[in-house]
Amino acid sequence: MRDLRDTLRLLARTGSVMETAEALFVHRNTVAYRLKRAQELLGRDPLTISLSLHAALVLEPLLHWD
């Protein structure tokens, strides 16, 4: 599970399967397999979840929630 989380976090940051694979020192097919596995576990596309979370974290300071 740690590999899966690390892959998703890095992919959300880089936006590229190739860059993620290079950073993790794995083949791009390994990243693709991990994405497929994450989708099976979550029942949703993990990239849309990660991008939504990333957007929320970026926008939160701008909303001045006091």
Side-chain angles (χ1 to χ4, degrees):
M1 288 302 245
R2 176 191 273 173
D3 290 340
L4 208 53
R5 283 193 313 263
D6 292 345
T7 300
L8 292 176
R9 282 188 192 125
L10 190 54
L11 188 58
R13 193 169 40 216
T14 67
S16 165
V17 170
M18 288 300 295
E19 286 181 37
T20 300
E22 290 173 6
L24 294 173
F25 303 104
V26 298
H27 193 274
R28 61 183 162 84
N29 289 346
T30 301
V31 175
Y33 170 78
R34 290 177 183 173
L35 279 173
K36 181 180 175 187
R37 180 70 180 130
Q39 185 165 356
E40 290 169 357
L41 291 170
L42 297 169
R44 297 178 62 186
D45 181 2
L47 294 181
T48 58
I49 295 169
S50 295
L51 292 176
S52 297
L53 178 59
H54 179 72
L57 292 171
V58 168
L59 293 174
E60 188 271 333
L62 301 174
L63 298 175
H64 304 289
W65 295 50
D66 293 293

